[in-house]
Amino acid sequence: MKIAMLGAGAWGTAMAQSAATRHQVVLWSKDPEHAHAVQQERENKRFLPGIELDKRLEITSDLDAALANADLIVLATPMAALREILLTLTARQVHCPVICLSKGIEEPQPGATVGLLGHQVAQQVAPDFVRQNGFGVLSGPSFAKEVALGLPTAVVVASEQERVCEQALAAFHSERLRVYRSDDPIGVEVGGAVKNVLAIATGLVDGLKLGMNARAGLITRGLAEMARFGVALGAQAQTFMGLSGLGDLVLTATGDLSRNRRVGLQLAEGKTLEHILQTLGHVAEGVYSARSIVMAARHLGVEMPISEGVLALLDGKMTPDAALQALMQREAKAEWDL
């Protein structure tokens, strides 16, 4: 099949690289200079350095060329750009399924109380497009560099439309990348969004050298927090025990390749958020999703103390020590309460 991968960041490039051995893949970058450099050098030095790209992978900044005769469109843009690219697709009247790789919750639009998950943005922006073509989300424990290197990885694709999952499996399932199916896009997206915020918190705990007990406790309580939030939004509770929940949380909270974890580590060192983001070089979605997640949780009446603490820390309203103290001084309660 022909796959149009829209977004040439680390994740989009890695997934394009993975599929290029079996399909015709066109990787689209909005930046013409970036696209030209990647095409000529056969390496995405800005976002995925050190990986030689498959010679069959085409890179372009011509969106119409990327979309022409596509059998599957994959959106690998940051969550903040998802609405714009969806509007662009509807204007071009493309006719094939869409899979979204973006992780996070969109900032609330003017007049809205809470932000939307990726599939909800698609349903709001392009309901006819979604109904006719199909829309799914893909997530799971998957560092881009390891996927690009062909190291064994397992992810999950979720859609309410079975044909979309089948198309995603045909595109990406291989001996190196195992793709599972789910009918719970809410749960899969919540896991992919909240784990980034929890990874900042875990990086903070590790940066403060509070020990392995503290790390394990925070990850476990974070999983409970994630599940409470997801179930309140309509997700299936068992989804959070799977790849997009527990799996992605463990990887992002503990893996050295995690950008969100690095944010927490550097906050613990006393560095400012502005400095951290300037030197990071990539988007850390947890920084941008924390506020939307907390606002949605408050609206639903869901307690998310770890996420609340991360937001207060990012906003400069709490020091790392104060955020930790606020968590430890909470009253005792039952472990699971969804």
Side-chain angles (χ1 to χ4, degrees):
M1 68 174 70
K2 178 183 176 181
I3 301 171
M5 181 71 65
L6 307 186
W11 191 211
T13 303
M15 289 296 284
Q17 170 86 337
S18 177
T21 59
R22 303 178 309 283
H23 303 286
Q24 178 190 359
V25 183
V26 180
L27 176 63
W28 173 79
S29 173
K30 188 176 183 179
D31 181 349
E33 291 185 6
H34 180 229
H36 179 75
V38 175
Q39 177 70 21
Q40 292 299 311
E41 298 167 356
R42 307 311 301 169
E43 179 184 353
N44 190 341
K45 292 183 178 178
R46 185 187 302 178
F47 296 112
L48 198 64
I51 304 295
E52 182 180 353
L53 298 180
D54 191 287
K55 62 182 179 180
R56 291 161 288 191
L57 176 60
E58 179 184 349
I59 301 95
T60 183
S61 61
D62 185 337
L63 183 57
D64 289 324
L67 295 174
N69 301 313
D71 299 298
L72 178 68
I73 296 171
V74 184
L75 306 181
T77 64
M79 182 59 69
L82 181 60
R83 183 175 292 264
E84 178 185 355
I85 195 67
L86 283 167
L87 289 170
T88 299
L89 291 179
T90 57
R92 280 172 165 75
Q93 299 183 341
V94 295
H95 301 288
C96 66
V98 175
I99 298 294
C100 180
L101 307 183
S102 308
K103 293 183 178 181
I105 296 183
E106 185 186 48
E107 289 188 4
Q109 294 295 297
T113 304
V114 297
L116 302 177
L117 296 165
H119 77 281
Q120 295 170 331
V121 175
Q123 290 169 349
Q124 183 185 85
V125 169
D128 293 337
F129 178 92
V130 170
R131 184 175 62 255
Q132 294 169 8
N133 298 300
F135 189 91
V137 297
L138 186 147
S139 191
S142 47
F143 285 142
K145 183 177 181 179
E146 293 191 3
V147 170
L149 288 171
L151 296 177
T153 302
V155 295
V156 59
V157 61
S159 176
E160 296 175 350
Q161 299 152 302
E162 179 67 19
R163 61 189 174 88
V164 177
C165 292
E166 293 295 339
Q167 191 79 328
L169 263 67
F172 294 114
H173 190 84
S174 71
E175 60 186 14
R176 295 290 183 175
L177 181 62
R178 183 168 181 83
V179 183
Y180 289 84
R181 287 173 290 187
S182 169
D183 61 356
D184 184 16
I186 296 175
V188 168
E189 285 207 84
V190 167
V194 176
K195 59 95 181 183
N196 286 326
V197 179
L198 299 175
I200 295 174
T202 311
L204 181 70
V205 164
D206 287 346
L208 292 173
K209 303 187 186 308
L210 299 179
M212 303 298 283
N213 293 349
R215 176 202 277 185
L218 187 140
I219 290 174
T220 308
R221 293 310 302 157
L223 180 63
E225 190 167 297
M226 176 193 292
R228 280 199 304 273
F229 181 54
V231 168
L233 285 169
Q236 301 166 22
Q238 67 266 27
T239 298
F240 301 103
M241 300 300 115
L243 291 165
S244 62
L246 176 61
D248 209 0
L249 173 58
V250 170
L251 179 75
T252 311
T254 65
D256 290 336
L257 292 176
S258 168
R259 295 189 297 272
N260 292 284
R261 170 177 163 77
R262 292 206 299 271
V263 170
L265 287 169
Q266 293 185 60
L267 286 171
E269 294 173 1
K271 295 179 181 177
T272 66
L273 181 61
E274 181 181 7
H275 172 79
I276 294 169
L277 297 180
Q278 285 177 349
T279 58
L280 199 59
H282 298 264
V283 173
E285 287 286 5
V287 174
Y288 301 101
S289 294
R291 187 175 310 281
S292 296
I293 289 168
V294 169
M295 288 176 64
R298 291 172 181 171
H299 180 72
L300 293 166
V302 175
E303 286 192 352
M304 298 188 73
I306 299 173
S307 298
E308 289 271 7
V310 170
L311 179 60
L313 186 63
L314 295 175
D315 283 347
K317 295 179 179 178
M318 274 191 178
T319 64
D321 289 332
L324 175 67
Q325 187 177 18
L327 285 173
M328 294 302 292
Q329 290 180 345
R330 286 171 53 80
E331 65 182 36
K333 59 187 300 184
E335 182 177 17
W336 283 97
D337 182 13
L338 299 182

